[in-house]
Amino acid sequence: MIDQELVKKVAHLARLELTESEVKQMTTQLGSILDYFEQLGELDVSDVQPTTRAIDVSNITRPDQLQVSVDREQMLAIAPDQDGDFFRVPKILNN
Amino acid sequence: MASIRELHQQLVSKTRSATEITQAALATIQQLEPKLHSFLLVTADYALAQASRVDAQIAAGEEIGWLAGIPIGIKDNFCTQGIATTCGSKILSGFIPPYESTVTRKLNLGGAVMVGKTNLDEFAMGSSTENSAYQVTANPWDLTRVPGGSSGGSAAAVSAGECVVALGSDTGGSIRQPAAFCGVVGLKPTYGLVSRYGLVAFASSLDQIGPFATSVEDAAILLGAIAGHDPQDATSLNVPISDYTQSLIPDLKGKKIGVIQETFGEGLDPIVAEAVQQAIQQLKDLGAEIREISCPRFRYGLPTYYIIAPSEASANLARYDGVKYGLRAKDADNLLSMYAKTRAEGFGTEVKRRIMIGTYALSSGYYDAYYLKAQKVRTLIKQDFEAAFEQVDVLVSPTCPTTAFKAGEKTADPLSMYLSDLMTIPVNLAGLPGLSLPCGFDPEGLPIGLQMIGNVLREDQLFQAAYAYEQATEWHKRTPKL
């Protein structure tokens, strides 16, 4: 069910560069983990509502007031590369 | 090491200063770290500065809190302002958080003395602390064995007396399992009781912060100090926090304790089973009424968890992209390849595996079959617990199917590693409080853990049952020979 092509596709979605040997290993391991998940098929859940969080709290709001946030200089200082007020990244489009 | 109560007494009676207590802890750390590797970072100067502030308060006649001057270890997935936080991952090497987590801020304000950041499985993903990108922590009871995980550094440090108490986080058993393996008390509170602000996120609907201690009383004191509503965490519960030390009553008359039948099946080490059965008998002798309870969907917890947790992790860990902080791969010629190379270099094998499982389970065409299905099974598991708590006050089970395993024994087979969290995972799925405490030793001298599970926000019931059992037994008095 899961093959190397699918593993490569998922790795791309996850922005993970995998080596050929990692692709092989992941294909085997994900295969056996997904097989293990099959046992959930024993349960009939057609009329069951999903639980998104165990203890439900919803619609938490607060007044829309300005608050002191983390210092901008400090945030920029811990970035791998920065230019003035910006985070610097490699070029987005290839030539 | 002495208890919080004893140390507090020494401080207020001025028989010992916070500086002396801190120096003693740092000396123990220095002596034991070459064997144990519990700490990723020892914050000696920071600790001594905090201790001298506490000493100044005492000298000025100010009243100090329970945790003032108490050496504490902090799992290295809590953001500590100005102090490196790695999460056991290379992707955060060199990361110095610009802000402080809510719980460590509370502890700092209360005078607690952080002596260091403890080792963990990378991003708290693992059951042995072997997934740390930096070092392998040894079990203080047998250095060839794992301390459990993911909070293995905190568990080992408390067990070995490198600090009095420690903080961990528990997503599927990461406090209770290492507590069992290291012979200490570990508690995962009700989801939402403790603010997760500043805890590096793994699986947000499951993560919860809790204490490690060598006694139930110390765990109760530490929980009291970190619990409470926090506007910075929208999932934190706005409920009154009781004084948990008031629940430390060594009597179980009138209490109903349920034994989860499904946890005594296949895969359980007979020695663990026997120790837990004896503990149940002891709870009965203390006055509790024992009932057999069935949670038929309990065993589906493991596959459910290994869909939900990686799915949430794959989303949470998308933030590690080499742009804002942490590692960036050097030789990328465009943005997309920079992301993929940074994440390939920065994440370890288990983290990659879980990101892959999660991305797959959430991807188009598979969502209903995996993630949605798992969330529905989560409802069924929760219903089993709800039915159980209509009959009893506290549920008990073994914490883990076995005692601590050998380092390297399970690293090649992810599924066999996952199985060690079989009994702790359903508790996270239902958001309930769970505690592990020592209930015996196997013939090789390795600790065995008893798990107690409470109803929502009934930490008080857990503390009472655990305290009564602890006071009636001697297990907690044993310490590892190092």
Side-chain angles (χ1 to χ4, degrees):
Chain A
M1 177 172 149
I2 193 156
D3 59 18
Q4 295 195 17
E5 277 317 298
L6 187 54
V7 165
K8 285 178 185 171
K9 185 183 155 217
V10 173
H12 173 71
L13 291 174
R15 302 292 182 263
L16 270 178
E17 190 177 270
L18 297 182
T19 63
E20 279 306 313
S21 76
E22 281 179 314
V23 169
K24 275 192 197 144
Q25 199 191 27
M26 286 281 183
T27 308
T28 316
Q29 290 180 339
L30 295 195
S32 61
I33 291 165
L34 294 176
D35 284 348
Y36 183 73
F37 293 164
E38 289 303 313
Q39 59 181 291
L40 294 183
E42 296 162 13
L43 295 169
D44 178 10
V45 292
S46 43
D47 297 323
V48 179
Q49 289 299 311
T51 294
T52 50
R53 54 185 72 254
I55 313 292
D56 212 20
V57 284
S58 58
N59 298 336
I60 305 297
T61 60
R62 62 169 172 79
D64 187 15
Q65 287 165 346
L66 286 179
Q67 290 174 1
V68 180
S69 182
V70 177
D71 181 65
R72 183 164 76 167
E73 299 299 316
Q74 265 188 303
M75 294 294 273
L76 282 161
I78 60 173
D81 194 8
Q82 63 287 103
D83 182 359
D85 289 346
F86 299 98
F87 296 117
R88 225 178 120 95
V89 295
K91 66 183 171 187
I92 292 170
L93 297 170
N94 281 325
N95 295 331
Chain B
M1 191 164 263
S3 69
I4 292 175
R5 183 180 292 278
E6 286 161 353
L7 293 170
H8 182 75
Q9 208 52 48
Q10 291 172 6
L11 287 167
V12 295
S13 66
K14 299 184 184 175
T15 50
R16 208 170 166 208
S17 68
T19 301
E20 286 166 335
I21 291 168
T22 302
Q23 281 168 338
L26 292 170
T28 307
I29 289 171
Q30 201 178 13
Q31 182 206 336
L32 296 181
E33 275 306 281
K35 292 181 190 173
L36 289 179
H37 313 286
S38 316
F39 287 91
L40 286 169
L41 179 71
V42 179
T43 51
D45 293 343
Y46 179 88
L48 290 166
Q50 175 80 337
S52 82
R53 276 193 291 275
V54 172
D55 284 333
Q57 281 180 308
I58 296 168
E62 289 175 38
E63 207 169 298
I64 57 162
W66 278 111
L67 286 165
I70 304 298
I72 181 168
I74 305 292
K75 187 178 183 180
D76 201 25
N77 58 351
F78 288 84
C79 285
T80 43
Q81 190 170 4
I83 294 170
T85 298
T86 68
C87 264
S89 181
K90 278 195 265 178
I91 212 156
L92 282 176
S93 65
F95 172 59
I96 311 283
Y99 70 106
E100 187 79 26
S101 82
T102 294
V103 292
T104 51
R105 185 177 50 75
K106 280 186 176 184
L107 292 171
N108 287 343
L109 291 172
V113 176
M114 179 176 82
V115 289
K117 305 289 295 282
T118 59
N119 197 22
L120 68 160
D121 286 300
E122 184 177 2
F123 286 103
M125 297 179 191
S127 310
S128 68
T129 313
E130 291 167 292
N131 293 335
S132 167
Y134 298 98
Q135 64 196 29
V136 173
T137 298
N139 188 309
W141 297 88
D142 177 348
L143 300 176
T144 68
R145 291 177 188 267
V146 301
S150 66
S151 314
S154 286
V158 169
S159 166
E162 296 184 303
C163 47
V164 178
V165 285
L167 283 186
S169 62
D170 188 318
T171 306
S174 281
I175 291 174
R176 289 157 289 156
Q177 187 256 23
F181 278 14
C182 292
V184 296
V185 177
L187 169 73
K188 181 208 88 79
T190 302
Y191 181 80
L193 184 65
V194 179
S195 166
R196 292 180 294 114
Y197 179 73
L199 173 75
V200 178
F202 160 15
S204 303
S205 80
L206 301 162
D207 297 343
Q208 189 59 199
I209 293 163
F212 284 96
T214 54
S215 69
V216 176
E217 183 183 49
D218 283 0
I221 291 172
L222 183 50
L223 180 65
I226 60 173
H229 180 244
D230 176 13
Q232 302 271 42
D233 174 0
T235 63
S236 94
L237 301 172
N238 202 347
V239 292
I241 305 302
S242 52
D243 177 358
Y244 297 113
T245 60
Q246 297 298 311
S247 310
L248 306 177
I249 305 158
D251 181 10
L252 295 177
K253 278 190 199 70
K255 295 282 172 198
K256 296 189 200 80
I257 293 182
V259 180
I260 306 174
Q261 297 306 297
E262 286 77 7
T263 60
F264 287 88
E266 199 188 331
L268 179 66
D269 181 340
I271 291 161
V272 173
E274 197 192 318
V276 173
Q277 292 295 0
Q278 279 177 12
I280 292 162
Q281 182 57 45
Q282 198 121 21
L283 293 168
K284 194 177 173 188
D285 295 343
L286 287 160
E289 180 192 328
I290 306 293
R291 289 193 190 176
E292 290 191 355
I293 293 289
S294 175
C295 294
R297 276 79 62 98
F298 196 90
R299 72 185 181 90
Y300 296 101
L302 196 69
T304 302
Y305 175 88
Y306 277 99
I307 294 169
I308 291 174
S311 295
E312 294 184 9
S314 72
N316 273 328
L317 271 61
R319 72 190 67 180
Y320 303 102
D321 58 3
V323 174
K324 301 175 293 299
Y325 45 79
L327 182 84
R328 174 186 293 187
K330 296 264 179 290
D331 52 352
D333 61 359
N334 66 57
L335 185 65
L336 200 58
S337 90
M338 188 278 280
Y339 291 153
K341 285 180 193 296
T342 295
R343 292 161 64 80
E345 278 180 32
F347 291 137
T349 308
E350 182 60 27
V351 173
K352 286 178 187 170
R353 196 154 40 227
R354 297 209 196 179
I355 289 173
M356 291 290 290
I357 297 169
T359 306
Y360 175 77
L362 294 177
S363 64
S364 170
Y366 300 101
Y367 179 88
D368 286 3
Y370 292 106
Y371 190 65
L372 187 63
K373 173 114 197 193
Q375 285 189 312
K376 290 181 173 181
V377 178
R378 187 174 182 179
T379 303
L380 298 176
I381 291 166
K382 212 177 148 188
Q383 286 170 354
D384 279 359
F385 280 116
E386 283 164 0
F389 284 115
E390 281 176 17
Q391 299 180 59
V392 297
D393 303 306
V394 170
L395 289 164
V396 293
S397 77
T399 306
C400 319
T402 65
T403 52
F405 46 87
K406 294 259 186 199
E409 192 180 312
K410 298 188 187 219
T411 41
D413 181 2
L415 262 178
S416 78
M417 186 75 89
Y418 297 171
L419 282 167
S420 75
D421 293 332
L422 191 67
M423 294 160 184
T424 48
I425 276 174
V427 182
N428 298 74
L429 290 169
L432 302 172
L435 179 148
S436 179
L437 82 168
C439 74
F441 288 82
D442 75 5
E444 292 173 79
L446 300 168
I448 298 169
L450 172 69
Q451 178 173 236
M452 294 180 167
I453 304 163
N455 206 347
V456 176
L457 293 172
R458 294 313 302 266
E459 280 77 5
D460 59 326
Q461 303 255 26
L462 286 187
F463 283 128
Q464 181 173 349
Y467 183 75
Y469 177 78
E470 178 192 64
Q471 293 305 303
T473 55
E474 301 280 315
W475 309 117
H476 62 289
K477 292 182 181 162
R478 283 201 209 177
T479 51
K481 290 178 186 64
L482 281 156

